[in-house]
Amino acid sequence: MGLSKGFLWGGATAANQSEGGVLEGGRKLANVDVLPTGPDRKKIAAGNMKMSEWDEQHYYPAKEAIDMYHRYMEDIQLFAEMGFKVYRMSLSWSRIYPNGDDLEPNEEGLLFYEKIFKELKKHNIEPLVTIAHFDIPLHLIKTYDSWRNRQMITFYTRYAETVIRRYKGLVHYWLTINEINILLHQPFIGGGLVFEEGENREEVKYQAAHHQLVASALATKLAHDIDPTNQVGCMLAGGNSYPYTCRPEDYQEAIKRDREGYFFIDVQARGKYPNYALKKFEREGLTIMMEDDDHEILDSAPVDFVSFSYYSSRTVSAHPEDYEHTTGNVFGTIKNPHLPSTEWGWQVDPLGLRNSLNQMYDRYQKPLFIVENGLGAVDVPDENGYVNDEYRIDYLRQHIQAFKDAVEIDGIELLGYTTWGCVDLIAASTGQMSKRYGFVYVDRDDEGNGTLERFKKKSFYWYQQVIETNGEDLSS
Ligand code: BG6
């Protein structure tokens, strides 16, 4: 019993939330660089407000982030010390193809990641690489309207082919697109979409989704052709929906909501558009332009494994106006009276993780990978920079126990677990530094002040012990 010997323990980051150095090494701007902190962030993320360059009125946290661009080696050293078997990271698209439509890649960008992969190899840490984590070269948005344009398939696959070929032998685990369903909820973050007055948003989003799905299938096929040992996964912003009551229409609403996310994974894992989606397009009069061989492309390259992020479950009802709603999370949800909430209003539900794993395993029968999970909380370091983050340990302990139960009791196949923001980084939803997830504290505040120095928290040593005992000793 217990987790398999090869279970992949580790942590996760994304380029845009950690690297900084956005105009260094030949890189150019991306959508994620022009997201400020403050109230406008939400409007921009939703595609309701245009932001295509930096202005004087806003603060843009991705500019410097936690300066991983210059501090990668130090951070990898810390991951190695914790005993990481895997490190999930993403590549910055505009570091490799600065404009996105360039014909040749930027060698300096390619070299930057090559050095990182070689360093990881020295420490026997397997990279798990997200090709696109909310990250789209700004030029592609300005010139082509981003993913609503079919040409994006060409640009994305050129980029994917370049990196998969270049890092052959150094990288074996790939994720094509991070939280692909976020496109529906934060269309500028997930797809670089900015809406025009009066257009059919639903149609634009599903058209962009179609392009992403074809591009993802082509990248999956390329990865297998280039190196048959490559393992490619899709990636869902996960969390299952509970009906608020046992009224059948509430349960029906829960199925409907879950399908909004599963739609993407149904295509990526099974290679086919699910009937419920085709019916939706028909019913709502959405015309999604598809080319003749698109279905063949989707069918030819299902992913090898299904990965997802899990922070919380959701609660839904056919009569949402009757209930109090939570704040803070990207997914609107009714407040579940049985669950506690984080400081940012995300509801904590470890058993929901086990439920999600079971639901997904039943649905896809493919190995699963939890590639994000964690507690965003305010940390207060002592005079030596040390944080006693027992609350984070507690959160992680409960979630680890939940996935162990899913493996040991329910028999699901789980490849690994990478906690989100293993080193503190900027939050995607708010751009704040103060929403910290890490085992490593970074001296930086929400206004960009601080030395950027790294400090080990209590959870650093705890996670080290968890990995050392392959999840057997969760005590602190
Ligand atoms: C996921 C993203 O949505 O959740 C990450 O893939 C993000 O990029 C994480 O950081 C946590 O959300 P937040 O808003 O707390 O950073």
Side-chain angles (χ1 to χ4, degrees), residues 22-31 33 52 92-107 109 135-147 149 151-152 154-156 158-159:
V22 297
L23 293 175
E24 289 183 60
R27 185 190 185 281
K28 288 194 177 170
L29 290 185
N31 58 336
D33 303 327
S52 48
S92 154
W93 188 343
S94 59
R95 216 176 266 300
I96 311 278
Y97 282 99
N99 296 298
D101 61 354
D102 323 69
L103 294 177
E104 295 302 325
N106 171 30
E107 179 57 26
D135 178 293
I136 301 161
L138 212 47
H139 173 74
L140 295 181
I141 299 174
K142 290 184 184 170
T143 316
Y144 300 90
D145 285 334
S146 193
W147 280 102
N149 187 329
Q151 275 177 278
M152 284 295 278
T154 309
F155 303 139
Y156 174 88
R158 183 184 300 154
Y159 160 51

Side-chain angles (χ1 to χ4, degrees), residues 409-473:
I409 302 172
D410 308 328
I412 65 123
E413 259 176 284
L414 188 62
L415 296 173
Y417 176 68
T418 57
T419 65
W420 177 248
C422 42
V423 48
D424 291 346
L425 38 64
I426 59 176
S429 53
T430 61
Q432 289 166 300
M433 252 325 281
S434 52
K435 192 180 186 192
R436 297 171 184 275
Y437 287 87
F439 302 115
V440 175
Y441 183 85
V442 177
D443 179 23
R444 177 91 166 166
D445 69 14
D446 289 342
E447 282 78 45
N449 307 303
T451 60
L452 290 163
E453 216 184 317
R454 275 62 168 157
F455 299 91
K456 298 169 195 170
K457 302 181 195 175
K458 183 172 185 185
S459 55
F460 180 100
Y461 302 99
W462 174 80
Y463 199 46
Q464 192 176 48
Q465 159 201 304
V466 172
I467 298 177
E468 174 71 38
T469 62
N470 203 22
E472 286 305 306
D473 188 355

Side-chain angles (χ1 to χ4, degrees), residues 289-354:
M289 309 294 283
M290 302 187 189
E291 291 193 354
D292 287 348
D293 55 359
D294 283 358
H295 291 293
E296 215 173 292
I297 293 171
L298 295 174
D299 198 30
S300 68
V303 290
D304 303 301
F305 65 93
V306 172
S307 83
F308 67 105
S309 59
Y310 180 85
Y311 295 92
S312 189
S313 54
R314 294 158 208 147
T315 304
V316 301
S317 162
H319 309 282
E321 63 285 354
D322 294 349
Y323 305 101
E324 189 190 342
H325 289 248
T326 62
T327 52
N329 206 328
V330 174
F331 296 91
T333 168
I334 293 169
K335 199 164 185 173
N336 185 331
H338 307 289
L339 300 175
S341 296
T342 71
E343 289 159 284
W344 271 265
W346 294 23
Q347 294 204 275
V348 180
D349 181 11
L351 185 53
L353 174 59
R354 181 171 167 189

Side-chain angles (χ1 to χ4, degrees), residues 23-24 128 220 224 240 257 309 454:
L23 293 175
E24 289 183 60
L128 165 60
T220 305
H224 291 150
N240 54 311
R257 289 292 192 86
S309 59
R454 275 62 168 157

